[in-house]
Amino acid sequence: MARKNRKNGQDGNRVMVWGIALFGLAAVLAGVYLGLYNTCENIGRQISKLEAERAELRKRVVNEERNWAMARSIGNMERLMAAHGVAMSWPEEQNIIRLRAAEPDEPAQYAFQGGPSPRD
Protein backbone atom coordinates (compact mmCIF):
# COMPACT_ATOMS: atom_id res chain seq x y z
CA MET A 1 0.00 0.00 0.00
CA ALA A 2 1.27 3.42 -0.97
CA ARG A 3 1.63 6.30 1.46
CA LYS A 4 -0.67 9.35 1.31
CA ASN A 5 0.84 12.48 -0.18
CA ARG A 6 0.59 14.94 2.72
CA LYS A 7 1.61 18.00 0.67
CA ASN A 8 -1.72 18.11 -1.15
CA GLY A 9 -3.75 18.60 2.04
CA GLN A 10 -1.86 21.71 3.34
CA ASP A 11 -3.20 24.25 0.82
CA GLY A 12 -6.57 24.80 2.54
CA ASN A 13 -5.02 25.88 5.84
CA ARG A 14 -3.01 28.67 4.21
CA VAL A 15 -6.18 30.32 2.89
CA MET A 16 -7.80 30.08 6.30
CA VAL A 17 -4.76 31.71 8.01
CA TRP A 18 -4.78 34.62 5.54
CA GLY A 19 -8.54 35.00 5.91
CA ILE A 20 -8.28 35.20 9.71
CA ALA A 21 -5.40 37.69 9.46
CA LEU A 22 -7.33 39.93 7.05
CA PHE A 23 -10.44 39.72 9.20
CA GLY A 24 -8.41 40.71 12.29
CA LEU A 25 -6.84 43.62 10.40
CA ALA A 26 -10.26 44.80 9.22
CA ALA A 27 -11.57 44.58 12.81
CA VAL A 28 -8.64 46.64 14.13
CA LEU A 29 -9.10 49.27 11.39
CA ALA A 30 -12.83 49.44 12.14
CA GLY A 31 -12.07 49.94 15.85
CA VAL A 32 -9.59 52.73 15.07
CA TYR A 33 -12.11 54.38 12.74
CA LEU A 34 -14.88 54.23 15.34
CA GLY A 35 -12.54 55.62 18.01
CA LEU A 36 -11.53 58.54 15.79
CA TYR A 37 -15.15 59.17 14.82
CA ASN A 38 -16.21 59.23 18.48
CA THR A 39 -13.36 61.60 19.38
CA CYS A 40 -14.28 63.96 16.54
CA GLU A 41 -17.93 63.94 17.56
CA ASN A 42 -17.02 64.78 21.18
CA ILE A 43 -14.73 67.60 20.07
CA GLY A 44 -17.48 68.93 17.77
CA ARG A 45 -19.95 68.96 20.66
CA GLN A 46 -17.43 70.78 22.85
CA ILE A 47 -16.80 73.35 20.13
CA SER A 48 -20.52 73.98 19.69
CA LYS A 49 -20.96 74.36 23.44
CA LEU A 50 -18.02 76.77 23.71
CA GLU A 51 -19.26 78.83 20.75
CA ALA A 52 -22.67 79.18 22.39
CA GLU A 53 -21.01 80.16 25.67
CA ARG A 54 -18.84 82.70 23.82
CA ALA A 55 -21.90 84.24 22.17
CA GLU A 56 -23.65 84.48 25.55
CA LEU A 57 -20.58 86.11 27.12
CA ARG A 58 -20.34 88.55 24.20
CA LYS A 59 -23.99 89.54 24.76
CA ARG A 60 -23.30 90.04 28.47
CA VAL A 61 -20.23 92.20 27.73
CA VAL A 62 -22.17 94.39 25.31
CA ASN A 63 -25.01 94.70 27.84
CA GLU A 64 -22.62 95.69 30.65
CA GLU A 65 -20.81 98.20 28.40
CA ARG A 66 -24.18 99.78 27.57
CA ASN A 67 -25.15 99.86 31.25
CA TRP A 68 -21.82 101.45 32.18
CA ALA A 69 -22.15 104.08 29.44
CA MET A 70 -25.64 104.90 30.68
CA ALA A 71 -24.49 105.05 34.32
CA ARG A 72 -21.64 107.46 33.64
CA SER A 73 -23.55 109.80 31.34
CA ILE A 74 -23.79 113.46 32.39
CA GLY A 75 -27.57 113.40 32.58
CA ASN A 76 -27.57 110.36 34.85
CA MET A 77 -24.91 111.90 37.11
CA GLU A 78 -26.94 115.11 37.45
CA ARG A 79 -30.09 113.10 38.17
CA LEU A 80 -28.33 111.03 40.84
CA MET A 81 -26.82 114.12 42.46
CA ALA A 82 -30.26 115.76 42.58
CA ALA A 83 -31.84 112.56 43.97
CA HIS A 84 -29.26 112.32 46.77
CA GLY A 85 -29.23 116.06 47.50
CA VAL A 86 -25.62 116.60 46.47
CA ALA A 87 -24.99 120.24 45.54
CA MET A 88 -22.13 120.07 43.08
CA SER A 89 -21.28 121.95 39.96
CA TRP A 90 -18.98 121.25 37.07
CA PRO A 91 -15.49 122.81 37.21
CA GLU A 92 -14.82 125.94 35.21
CA GLU A 93 -12.76 125.72 32.06
CA GLN A 94 -9.61 127.27 33.55
CA ASN A 95 -9.63 124.64 36.35
CA ILE A 96 -9.66 121.67 33.98
CA ILE A 97 -6.29 120.07 33.25
CA ARG A 98 -6.20 118.27 29.94
CA LEU A 99 -3.63 115.55 29.30
CA ARG A 100 -2.43 114.82 25.81
CA ALA A 101 -2.23 111.24 24.59
CA ALA A 102 1.26 109.80 24.10
CA GLU A 103 2.39 109.46 20.53
CA PRO A 104 2.36 105.81 19.40
CA ASP A 105 5.93 106.02 18.03
CA GLU A 106 7.20 107.67 21.21
CA PRO A 107 8.71 105.12 23.62
CA ALA A 108 7.45 104.92 27.17
CA GLN A 109 9.58 106.91 29.59
CA TYR A 110 10.21 105.52 33.03
CA ALA A 111 11.67 107.31 36.04
CA PHE A 112 14.40 104.73 36.63
CA GLN A 113 15.48 102.29 33.94
CA GLY A 114 18.64 100.92 35.53
CA GLY A 115 16.93 97.95 37.15
CA PRO A 116 16.30 97.34 40.84
CA SER A 117 18.48 99.19 43.32
CA PRO A 118 20.99 97.12 45.32
CA ARG A 119 19.90 96.28 48.83
CA ASP A 120 22.01 96.92 51.88
Side-chain angles (χ1 to χ4, degrees):
M1 191 180 245
R3 281 191 180 171
K4 270 188 168 174
N5 192 350
R6 293 187 203 173
K7 287 193 278 182
N8 292 337
Q10 298 294 327
D11 289 338
N13 291 342
R14 193 174 296 171
V15 172
M16 171 134 354
V17 170
W18 281 108
I20 291 172
L22 289 177
F23 180 75
L25 180 64
V28 168
L29 288 177
V32 169
Y33 173 77
L34 290 175
L36 288 174
Y37 182 78
N38 187 29
T39 302
C40 290
E41 287 292 319
N42 287 338
I43 290 173
R45 278 193 290 276
Q46 288 177 354
I47 288 172
S48 299
K49 181 179 139 194
L50 290 173
E51 285 176 346
E53 186 177 327
R54 181 176 181 247
E56 180 63 30
L57 288 174
R58 172 47 79 198
K59 285 175 20 182
R60 285 179 56 193
V61 165
V62 168
N63 190 22
E64 291 299 325
E65 286 175 349
R66 183 181 51 81
N67 289 344
W68 176 246
M70 293 289 288
R72 67 184 183 107
S73 68
I74 294 173
N76 191 40
M77 291 293 173
E78 290 173 348
R79 184 182 60 77
L80 286 173
M81 286 191 297
H84 292 288
V86 177
M88 246 173 101
S89 64
W90 294 100
E92 296 166 11
E93 189 64 34
Q94 70 262 12
N95 293 337
I96 297 175
I97 298 174
R98 301 199 186 273
L99 301 174
R100 67 176 178 88
E103 297 294 324
D105 58 329
E106 186 177 301
Q109 297 178 1
Y110 299 105
F112 182 66
Q113 294 181 350
S117 62
R119 295 183 181 191
D120 291 331

